[in-house]
């Protein structure tokens, strides 16, 4: 895969201003109109029917095309080298930040599907999972280069079938004939217990540190409490410094989490998947949680059997802040048409549909001051489509992140030919060198 | 007015549910140009006439005012587990994979649960028929073309023996068995492949001997139920649907079909490469898997899966789409649409979910397009059915109006109304 990298020209750091002209601009928050978007120093400088063209600006003629804000996927596992630390029921000490893989081809594929910001989550093997990391799909950049600088940290929680799977005898067979290894919890009751216990521990720990800091401030000589990395992350949750993104399906478990969170004064930032959210939309709205769901997945497991494609629309109508996510490196490349489906399933308007993959997930990540709409001052993360992005027939032509072009379909088409050529050359070279290798190499030539 | 005498014959039933005229619609016959402001007459569940606003019908014929709506043939999904599997992760709800390598006598259609919640859900997006395909072993059994309406599987069956599903052996080092995921060495996998291929040839040889023995035998011939099911295959009355993804497997499958003298349809074709010319030459149709998939290889172009239908079309090979599961069968039209975004002509995409599958499964005499004499398996929409935003407003199967409510619409209404 390495050779993909050098062919994909890295975006320039000191990019010249760019003016996207003659496009239908879908701002999401300020309506749609025919006009231009001016991009300078990584930000959107001006948006309007008539704009000032900065000197030296590169002009992109987008006649007949559509510009929308970069798509935000609030739930993904791309660019992560591992997903689940499932040996314990609370794994808040681990984080995706430590296993990011900036060379994951999933980043480029997402980019080519118009996605510019991704919330990369830990898996759902445990009630309280690991920490999440928000990234931008700056393909070609290194680990530091893909981080969404200044994004609020997050953490994954999980309810229902997945976190209780390892407590279930038939599901936790190892396949090697060894006896099953059981892990608490095995029921939704146990899941609640694990979360409440963890919050309780975090509260005690928080108080210990508070006491220590107060006494220290008074000039007393005190021994600091033992640092607990697991509880550190949960204290941040208690203090509202770390956002909770909770995987859930059934209405009962959703309500349970909201009530446990209420008990500890915690706000659940988003409910993830939340396929039965439509049944408790009122309670979700009252708590103030966002909901990030699928458009039409259902019936792949028991807890998804009451999932309906109208889920997003019902929750929108009941006043919940809703986004659509992918949870899949494949689906994330076409979140635009996933959003389009909500116009059919529940009759959302174009703007409501587009909001589900732009401004709403931006709010769910506390990043709506930076991304999610085409407004002056926001990051210049833009996607240009050849047709209306809510159409089945639309495809991405260009993607800009921070005002630099990271994807161009035309360039991709040219480069793939060069890549094919280069691959052929390498294979040819390999073939020519093989006869010698065969003579010299022993039987263990193929790595195990 | 050739159909008038026909009318008189059915005059008694003129008030029946499957006789009506649609007025003010745009008809998309698929086989010919669109007809705007058309009238579509359905008599006894069959399409009787497509005319303009002046089309005359007997006074007793019920008129359905569908002004402004579009009429398309209902769509056909060429590979599903419809009715055979309810919740994919729950073994008890699945009747897709049987034990044993050679089970040609198994019939998928009889394991289709007419009360499955999936049926109305799939139907709601305009799909009127689906292939229910058994999976497992080598000769998995008979795939059945089912209309998505009926009180029993018998009423649903269009063709119980629409195809024989052959899972063509491949060299595979990875396998998934009762004890989980396992890996074999390459040489082991190769031996396994050759053994399976040999078993397959021997099985067909046995079937041919059985065919001869039966022809020569008199009274007292003992029938063998499995081999009996092979006779229509050997007689080329039933095609063999072979799953073959890549160039090598496709060429192997075509050569095998020639050798055995059977008619084949390829399924899950994904990386045909130079085998496309061969498919064109031999006139072998293919069932494509979903376009909405990741590229096969890490270094493939990002749009690799989206462009497979474009290549297949350019090579002149006939193709239809299958969703290879249940969950996303309702997205069948969008699978085709994704290919349109990446270069497939729109009319080809539409045919690949209507006319072409009907032709491939041998039922184009009765469905797949809007033509005189064909069954009125039609949908009324407010736009292009390939567009995600489009609503299917009404559906008729054999001229009977079909309910478009489903578990999903019921839950929607119930919870939208929650105070």
């Amino acid at each position: 895969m390495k050779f993909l990298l050098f062919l994909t020209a890295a975006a320039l750091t000191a990019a010249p201003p760019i003016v996207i002209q003659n496009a239908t601009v879908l701002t999401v928050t300020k309506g749609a109109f025919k006009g231009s978007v001016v991009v300078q120093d990584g930000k959107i400088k001006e948006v309007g029917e008539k704009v000032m063209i900065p000197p030296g600006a590169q002009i992109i003629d987008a006649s007949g095309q559509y510009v929308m804000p970069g798509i935000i996927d609030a739930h993904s596992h791309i660019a992560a080298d591992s997903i689940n630390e499932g040996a314990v029921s609370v794994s808040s000490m681990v984080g995706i930040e430590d296993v990011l893989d900036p060379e994951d081809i999933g980043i480029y594929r997402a980019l080519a599907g118009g996605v510019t910001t991704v919330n990369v989550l830990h898996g759902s093997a445990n009630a309280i999972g690991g920490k999440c990391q928000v990234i931008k799909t700056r393909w070609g950049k290194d680990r530091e280069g893909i981080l969404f600088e200044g994004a609020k940290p997050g953490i994954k929680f999980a309810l229902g079938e997945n976190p209780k799977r390892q407590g279930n005898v038939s599901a936790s067979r190892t396949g090697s004939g060894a006896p099953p290894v059981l892990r608490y919890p095995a029921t939704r009751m146990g899941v609640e217990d694990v979360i409440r216990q963890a919050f309780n521990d975090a509260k005690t720990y928080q108080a210990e540190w508070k006491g220590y800091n107060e006494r220290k401030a008074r000039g007393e000589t005190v021994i600091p409490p033992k640092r607990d990395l697991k509880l550190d992350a949960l204290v941040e949750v208690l203090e509202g410094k770390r956002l909770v993104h909770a995987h859930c399906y059934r209405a009962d478990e959703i309500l349970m989490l909201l009530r446990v969170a209420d008990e500890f004064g915690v706000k659940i930032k988003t409910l993830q998947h939340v396929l039965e959210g439509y049944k408790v939309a009122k309670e979700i709205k009252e708590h103030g949680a966002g909901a990030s769901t699928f458009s039409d997945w259902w019936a792949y497991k028991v807890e998804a059997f009451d999932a309906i494609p109208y889920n997003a629309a019902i929750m929108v109508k009941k006043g919940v802040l809703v986004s659509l996510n992918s949870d899949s490196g494949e689906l994330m490349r076409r979140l635009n048409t996933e959003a389009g489906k909500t116009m059919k399933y529940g009759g959302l308007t174009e703007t409501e549909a587009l909001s589900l993959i732009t401004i709403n997930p931006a709010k769910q990540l506390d990043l709506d001051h930076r991304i999610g709409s085409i407004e002056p001052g926001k990051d210049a993360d833009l996607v240009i489509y050849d047709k209306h992005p809510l159409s089945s027939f639309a495809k991405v032509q260009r993607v800009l992140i921070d005002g630099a072009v990271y994807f161009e379909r035309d360039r991709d088409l040219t480069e793939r030919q060069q890549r094919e050529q280069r691959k052929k050359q390498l294979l040819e070279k390999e073939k020519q060198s093989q006869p010698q290798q065969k003579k010299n190499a022993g039987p263990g030539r193929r790595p195990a | 007015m050739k159909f008038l005498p026909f009318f008189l014959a059915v005059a008694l039933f003129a008030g029946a549910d499957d006789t009506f005229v649609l007025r003010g619609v745009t008809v998309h016959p698929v086989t010919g140009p669109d007809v705007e402001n058309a009238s579509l007459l359905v008599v006894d569940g069959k399409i009787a006439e497509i005319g303009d606003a002046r089309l005359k019908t007997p006074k007793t014929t019920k008129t359905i005012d569908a002004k402004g709506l579009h009429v398309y043939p209902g769509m056909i999904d060429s590979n599903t587990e419809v009715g055979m599997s309810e919740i994919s992760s729950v073994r008890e709800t699945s009747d897709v994979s049987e034990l044993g390598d050679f089970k040609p006598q198994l019939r998928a259609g009889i394991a289709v649960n007419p009360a499955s919640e999936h049926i109305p859900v799939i139907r709601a997006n305009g799909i009127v028929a689906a292939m229910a395909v058994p999976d497992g072993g080598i000769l998995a059994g008979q795939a059945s073309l089912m209309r998505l309406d009926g009180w029993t599987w018998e009423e649903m069956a269009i063709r119980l023996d629409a195809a024989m599903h052959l899972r063509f052996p491949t060299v595979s080092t990875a396998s998934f068995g009762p004890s989980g995921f396992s890996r074999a060495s390459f040489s082991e996998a190769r031996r396994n492949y050759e053994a399976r291929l040999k078993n397959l040839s021997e099985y067909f040889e046995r079937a041919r001997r059985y065919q001869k023995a039966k022809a020569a035998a008199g009274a007292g011939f003992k029938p063998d139920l499995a081999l009996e099911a092979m006779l229509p295959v050997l007689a080329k009355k039933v095609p063999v649907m072979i799953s073959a993804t890549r160039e090598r497997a496709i060429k192997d499958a075509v050569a095998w079909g020639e050798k055995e003298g059977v008619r084949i349809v390829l399924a899950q074709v994904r990386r045909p490469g130079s085998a496309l010319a061969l498919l064109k030459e031999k006139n072998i149709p293919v069932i494509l898997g979903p376009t909405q998939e990741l590229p096969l290889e890490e270094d493939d172009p990002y749009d690799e899966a989206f462009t497979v239908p474009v290549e297949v079309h350019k090579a002149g090979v006939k193709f239809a789409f299958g969703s290879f599961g249940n969950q996303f069968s309702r997205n069948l039209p969008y699978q085709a649409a994704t290919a349109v975004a990446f270069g497939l002509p729109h009319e080809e995409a539409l045919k690949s979910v209507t006319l072409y599958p009907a032709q491939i499964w041998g039922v184009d005499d009765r469905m797949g397009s809007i033509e005189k004499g064909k069954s009125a398996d039609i949908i009324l929409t407010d736009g292009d059915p390939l567009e995600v935003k489009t609503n299917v407003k009404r559906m008729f199967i054999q001229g009977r109006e079909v309910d478009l409510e489903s578990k999903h619409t019921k839950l929607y209404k119930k919870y939208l109304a929650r105070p």
Side-chain angles (χ1 to χ4, degrees):
Chain A
M1 192 193 66
K2 290 271 157 58
F3 65 91
L4 277 175
L5 279 173
F6 84 90
L7 282 170
T8 310
L12 298 169
T13 36
I18 294 178
V19 181
I20 302 168
Q21 281 183 335
N22 307 318
T24 301
V25 183
L26 307 167
T27 67
V28 178
T29 45
K30 312 267 180 201
F33 60 89
K34 271 235 162 76
S36 305
V37 182
V38 182
V39 165
Q40 194 164 17
D41 302 326
K43 301 281 178 190
I44 296 167
K45 190 161 180 254
E46 200 186 345
V47 184
E49 287 172 14
K50 290 222 163 64
V51 294
M52 287 277 291
I53 296 176
Q58 181 199 336
I59 306 289
I60 294 177
D61 180 19
S63 299
Q65 301 189 323
Y66 294 78
V67 190
M68 69 173 278
I71 294 171
I72 300 161
D73 189 348
H75 190 133
S76 172
H77 303 291
I78 63 160
D81 197 51
S82 47
I83 310 294
N84 268 308
E85 175 44 69
V88 286
S89 298
V90 179
S91 67
S92 43
M93 67 298 232
V94 306
I96 293 295
E97 65 218 46
D98 297 323
V99 293
L100 275 182
D101 174 12
E103 291 185 16
D104 178 8
I105 189 68
I107 299 174
Y108 184 73
R109 290 171 180 166
L111 175 71
V115 175
T116 53
T117 295
V118 183
N119 190 22
V120 186
L121 297 170
H122 182 270
S124 53
N126 31 22
I128 295 183
K131 296 175 262 192
C132 337
Q133 180 64 49
V134 184
I135 63 167
K136 283 202 187 188
T137 52
R138 297 186 192 105
W139 177 246
K141 293 285 168 74
D142 62 8
R143 184 212 171 260
E144 264 57 46
I146 61 170
L147 296 177
F148 195 123
E149 62 297 341
K152 224 175 192 181
I155 188 168
K156 175 78 167 275
F157 280 28
L159 316 175
E161 289 180 23
N162 292 9
K164 73 193 182 90
R165 185 164 296 141
Q166 266 179 260
N168 182 296
V169 181
S170 64
S172 53
R173 290 217 178 271
T174 56
S176 58
V181 182
L182 296 184
R183 190 204 69 193
Y184 186 79
T187 65
R188 285 181 169 84
M189 300 181 288
V191 172
E192 182 193 41
D193 177 44
V194 166
I195 294 171
R196 180 180 282 117
Q197 191 67 53
F199 275 148
N200 195 55
D201 292 349
K203 221 174 148 184
T204 309
Y205 177 73
Q206 183 190 35
E208 278 175 32
W209 274 96
K210 193 169 169 247
Y212 162 76
N213 285 328
E214 279 168 6
R215 291 176 66 187
K216 201 177 154 205
R218 287 199 297 267
E220 293 176 36
T221 310
V222 277
I223 301 168
K226 188 181 168 196
R227 176 66 69 199
D228 186 325
L229 299 179
K230 189 168 85 176
L231 296 178
D232 275 342
L234 294 176
V235 168
E236 288 172 356
V237 170
L238 291 176
E239 293 172 352
K241 294 174 188 157
R242 183 173 288 280
L243 309 176
V244 177
H245 303 290
H247 159 121
C248 54
Y249 280 79
R250 245 167 54 179
D252 49 4
E253 68 196 23
I254 295 168
L255 189 57
M256 173 278 284
L257 180 67
L258 298 181
R259 293 302 171 248
V260 171
D262 288 343
E263 230 175 279
F264 289 90
V266 168
K267 191 134 281 182
I268 300 298
K269 189 65 182 180
T270 67
L271 296 157
Q272 297 284 325
H273 309 325
V274 61
L275 294 185
E276 288 188 15
Y278 68 94
K279 295 183 179 177
V280 282
K282 189 169 86 173
E283 287 78 5
I284 296 173
K285 158 109 169 87
E286 281 164 7
H287 177 87
S292 189
T293 189
F294 297 131
S295 69
D296 60 1
W297 291 24
W298 83 293
Y300 48 97
K301 49 182 174 171
V302 175
E303 63 187 3
F305 201 55
D306 265 9
I308 60 173
Y310 302 91
N311 188 35
I314 293 185
M315 290 194 289
V316 167
K317 287 173 189 177
K318 305 248 176 187
V320 177
L321 180 71
V322 182
S323 69
L324 287 181
N325 69 57
S326 76
D327 195 13
S328 144
E330 192 283 306
L331 185 68
M332 78 189 298
R333 307 173 306 155
R334 46 188 178 83
L335 281 167
N336 56 315
T337 47
E338 291 298 281
K341 286 176 185 172
T342 61
M343 297 177 69
K344 169 179 36 203
Y345 300 123
L348 294 192
T349 65
E350 253 178 42
T351 303
E352 282 172 331
L354 285 174
S355 300
L356 299 176
I357 53 169
T358 54
I359 191 68
N360 292 4
K363 287 177 184 166
Q364 291 177 345
L365 294 171
D366 272 355
L367 288 171
D368 51 314
H369 59 295
R370 291 275 305 272
I371 52 173
S373 63
I374 302 183
E375 291 178 77
K378 283 202 176 183
D379 292 8
D381 296 355
L382 302 163
V383 193
I384 305 177
Y385 282 90
D386 58 347
K387 300 200 170 61
H388 195 292
L390 296 173
S391 162
S392 300
F393 309 125
K395 68 177 171 298
V396 173
Q397 299 297 316
R398 278 193 176 86
V399 182
L400 283 74
I401 301 176
D402 307 318
V405 177
Y406 273 83
F407 173 79
E408 271 177 297
R409 179 156 165 86
D410 288 345
R411 194 173 72 193
D412 181 283
L413 292 174
T414 318
E415 283 178 359
R416 71 174 67 165
Q417 282 171 355
Q418 295 165 353
R419 207 158 57 221
E420 211 41 54
Q421 208 88 51
R422 171 120 180 107
K423 199 169 155 184
K424 251 184 217 154
Q425 284 168 2
L426 287 170
L427 283 172
E428 202 50 48
K429 208 169 147 191
E430 174 75 8
K431 254 187 219 161
Q432 279 166 6
S433 66
Q434 252 178 12
Q436 287 162 314
Q437 244 180 28
K438 258 186 193 156
K439 265 180 224 159
N440 301 334
R445 186 163 50 92
R446 187 182 283 268
Chain B
M1 295 310 249
K2 259 183 267 165
F3 61 95
L4 258 180
F6 178 57
F7 257 146
L8 297 174
V10 297
L12 272 175
F13 303 99
D17 283 346
D18 56 358
T19 295
F20 57 87
V21 62
L22 296 172
R23 299 270 186 197
V25 292
T26 302
V27 176
H28 303 262
V30 175
T31 40
D34 298 348
V35 190
E36 279 175 41
N37 196 18
S39 300
L40 180 74
L41 177 65
V42 172
V43 175
D44 285 351
K46 292 207 164 87
I47 291 157
E49 192 76 15
I50 306 163
D52 58 20
R54 292 164 299 181
L55 180 75
K56 294 244 183 330
T57 53
K59 273 199 190 108
T60 47
T61 303
K62 177 175 62 178
T63 299
I64 296 177
D65 184 12
K67 213 170 174 52
L69 294 183
H70 297 260
V71 188
Y72 288 90
M75 291 179 271
I76 303 168
D77 189 330
S78 288
N79 198 307
T80 71
E81 296 171 352
V82 69
M84 306 174 76
S85 165
E86 201 67 7
I87 300 177
S88 50
S89 64
V90 181
R91 178 68 189 90
E92 290 79 355
T93 71
S94 173
D95 290 287
V96 177
S97 283
E98 189 46 89
L99 301 174
D101 278 343
F102 296 95
K103 290 276 177 285
Q105 71 275 34
L106 301 182
R107 303 184 299 161
I110 62 91
V112 170
N113 174 11
S116 165
E117 299 284 5
H118 287 273
I119 293 171
V121 164
I122 294 170
R123 214 161 52 189
N125 273 9
I127 295 151
V128 295
M131 284 287 278
V133 182
D135 205 21
I138 298 173
L139 263 185
Q142 297 163 39
S144 308
L145 182 63
M146 310 297 280
R147 66 175 62 88
L148 297 182
D149 181 43
W151 293 94
T152 65
W153 59 258
E154 207 164 34
E155 287 181 10
M156 293 173 72
I158 299 169
R159 269 194 78 172
L160 278 179
D161 62 347
M164 182 66 71
H165 186 205
L166 167 61
R167 299 170 76 230
F168 204 76
T170 53
V171 181
S172 173
T173 51
S175 69
F176 201 80
S179 56
F181 186 77
S182 59
R183 275 200 178 280
S185 72
F186 183 78
S187 54
E188 223 177 310
R190 169 112 212 152
R191 274 197 301 279
N192 186 25
Y193 159 75
E194 280 162 2
R196 289 169 80 80
L197 213 53
K198 188 160 160 273
N199 290 347
L200 178 63
S201 289
E202 282 173 5
Y203 196 81
F204 269 75
E205 186 51 37
R206 266 180 72 193
R208 272 190 297 271
R209 284 190 203 135
Y210 179 82
Q211 188 185 33
K212 269 191 201 153
K214 192 183 177 189
F221 178 77
K222 285 187 194 129
D224 178 301
L225 294 182
L227 295 174
E228 195 69 32
M230 292 295 289
L231 298 181
V233 173
L234 296 179
K236 297 191 182 190
K237 283 181 192 152
V238 169
V240 182
M241 173 164 50
I242 308 178
S243 301
T245 302
R246 294 170 190 263
E247 192 172 334
R248 164 87 188 270
I250 294 167
K251 286 181 173 170
D252 279 0
V254 171
W256 174 87
E258 295 256 290
K259 187 182 91 170
E260 302 293 352
V262 295
R263 199 150 61 82
I264 67 170
V265 174
L266 295 181
Q268 265 176 317
V269 166
R270 177 68 181 269
R271 184 60 61 85
S274 69
L276 274 179
L278 184 69
L279 296 176
K280 166 72 181 158
E281 183 200 322
K282 309 274 181 199
N283 202 19
I284 296 168
V286 303
I287 306 305
L288 297 177
T291 52
Q292 297 178 340
E293 293 239 318
L294 281 175
L296 273 186
E297 311 290 346
E298 199 182 22
D299 58 354
D300 278 340
Y302 76 93
D303 57 3
E304 180 265 335
F306 307 152
T307 55
V308 174
V310 186
E311 268 179 73
V312 173
H313 162 67
K314 280 185 182 155
V317 173
K318 180 161 289 178
F319 66 98
F321 285 100
S323 40
F324 294 84
N326 277 346
Q327 200 197 151
F328 299 118
S329 179
R330 63 172 156 197
N331 290 340
L332 180 79
Y334 317 139
Q335 302 288 358
T338 300
V340 174
F342 288 83
L344 182 69
H346 184 271
E347 57 179 87
E348 285 298 309
L350 202 53
K351 283 180 184 171
S352 72
V353 291
T354 54
L355 183 65
Y356 294 159
Q359 289 171 342
I360 292 169
W361 305 123
V363 294
D364 55 316
D365 58 329
R366 62 200 109 148
M367 58 195 301
S369 62
I370 301 179
E371 290 179 275
K372 249 190 224 182
K374 286 200 179 182
S375 175
D377 299 338
I378 54 175
I379 54 173
L380 271 58
T381 70
D382 58 5
D384 180 351
L386 302 188
E387 273 285 12
V388 287
K389 286 171 283 187
T390 299
N391 292 286
V392 175
K393 296 288 201 184
R394 301 175 87 158
M395 173 183 277
F396 297 84
I397 294 183
Q398 295 182 308
R400 287 187 313 273
E401 179 142 29
V402 174
D403 190 2
L404 290 177
E405 292 292 302
S406 68
K407 173 178 181 164
H408 296 181
T409 57
K410 283 173 200 155
L411 284 170
Y412 173 49
K413 283 172 194 158
K414 177 176 172 182
Y415 284 95
L416 192 61
R418 185 192 159 193

